[in-house]
Amino acid sequence: MKDRKWIVLGLAAALALLLAACGAKLTAVTLPEEPLELTVGGTAPLEPEFTWDGEAPAEGPAVTYTSADETVATVDEAGTVTGVAAGETTVTAASGELSATRAVVVNSATETLNVEEMSLHLADGAAQANVTVEPAELAGRLTYKTGDGAIATVDESGNVTPVKEGHTSLLVLAPDGTRAKAMITVWSGPKELTLTAETNEVTVGGTVAVTAADETGAAVDAATLTWASSDEGVATVDENGTVTVVSAGEVTITAETAWEVTGSVTLTGKEAAKPSNSGSSGSSSGSGSVAAPTEDAPEGWGTHGWFYVDVDTTAFDLQNQLRAAAGAPALTWDDSLASIAQSRCQAIAVDFSHNGAQTTGENIAVGYADAASVIAAWQGSSGHYANMINTVYTRGAIGHMYDGDGCHYWVAVFE
């Protein structure tokens, strides 16, 4: 009796399980909506999903797979799709009366994919990425990304928009996973740089300001640029674009922005022109006792009577002190020039002019009783002062003559 009871209970449980299994009904077969993309020769599983009314059975339903165009893609009994040729088709998964269809796109394998680096000015806005892809039909199926959207963004068509200054990357992906990468540089400031000097010919020892302007003609702050000289033996340039010429020759001055936009200007350094001879006169003032004459008065001396002529090294030393203060090297005393200076003292007593000058540079004066006063007078005259500090001259001498009437004559000569 007890055994019969257990048999009845076992049969009841089995019947319940059988009824439960028979009650699970397939209600839908679905496939993803987005197209399945493959390359020629590539494969991918179709992987349909099934919806049941009730608990799903341990094993899925029987499914039949078909391709609408097997010249483009095939699908086997396990649902694996294989790309055959470039094109588009659909594949279907069916179970009984239920089915689902998915688009399949077969792409040619990527043979070439390149993208060029981009340099974008903030003021110019978006620009199209320059991409080379083969086969050409893949051009519309590329995917674009930037490494840092805070610097630049890119849309689905490859249009890159600059956002702020900096560097980032542009990534281009082909359907088969082939990728290409390039740098994006976003910059601002002048697109062109034009340099202008106040004058393109500068005397040795002189300076000239070089200014910069952008493509619109607007001034560019010199302090924001990096300056350079092509030959610092000819000219140097400071951080503000001030050029100092140190020797004769041609030199190119270049300025560069932080984003490597450059401009240049060519200058010529020239030796200082030797000034023309200049004369100076002052009021006559006696000097007290005078020495006895050493020779006869020159022809045309008139009523001046006897005279005394010699060199004046005191005046010469004072002149060299002025040169030192002006940054010019000292002149070397030259005895042959001293003889010329003495001769010229006698000449200007008759004809106070530079007629008969025998040297490249000459200063003359009359009426100054001592070395300090005549040097001060020449210093106060631009032409005479230019002679005294001219760096072209390296040798010189000064002559001084005075006569019995108390007249003083001075001649400084330069070579």
Side-chain angles (χ1 to χ4, degrees), residues 190-201:
K191 299 177 184 178
E192 298 177 8
L193 201 60
T194 301
L195 301 188
T196 305
E198 295 172 332
T199 177
N200 291 81
E201 293 187 355

Side-chain angles (χ1 to χ4, degrees), residues 155-249:
D155 65 16
E156 61 185 11
S157 300
N159 292 303
V160 181
T161 301
V163 178
K164 71 174 184 178
E165 289 183 359
H167 300 280
T168 187
S169 59
L170 174 62
L171 178 65
V172 184
L173 294 169
D176 64 355
T178 301
R179 60 179 56 200
K181 195 173 185 180
M183 178 71 73
I184 300 173
T185 299
V186 179
W187 58 287
S188 63
K191 299 177 184 178
E192 298 177 8
L193 201 60
T194 301
L195 301 188
T196 305
E198 295 172 332
T199 177
N200 291 81
E201 293 187 355
V202 187
T203 302
V204 173
T207 61
V208 63
V210 176
T211 57
D214 65 14
E215 65 280 2
T216 69
V220 176
D221 185 358
T224 65
L225 305 173
T226 300
W227 296 86
S229 167
S230 64
D231 187 348
E232 293 193 343
V234 175
T236 60
V237 59
D238 67 14
E239 66 276 10
N240 296 311
T242 300
V243 178
T244 300
V245 175
V246 296
S247 69

Side-chain angles (χ1 to χ4, degrees), residues 83-121:
V84 176
E88 297 182 7
T89 186
T90 59
V91 291
T92 301
S95 179
E97 296 180 355
L98 301 175
S99 65
T101 299
R102 186 178 185 184
V104 175
V105 178
V106 180
N107 299 303
S108 299
T110 305
E111 298 173 7
T112 301
L113 181 61
N114 295 308
V115 58
E116 294 184 3
E117 292 188 355
M118 301 185 73
S119 179
L120 304 176
H121 195 280

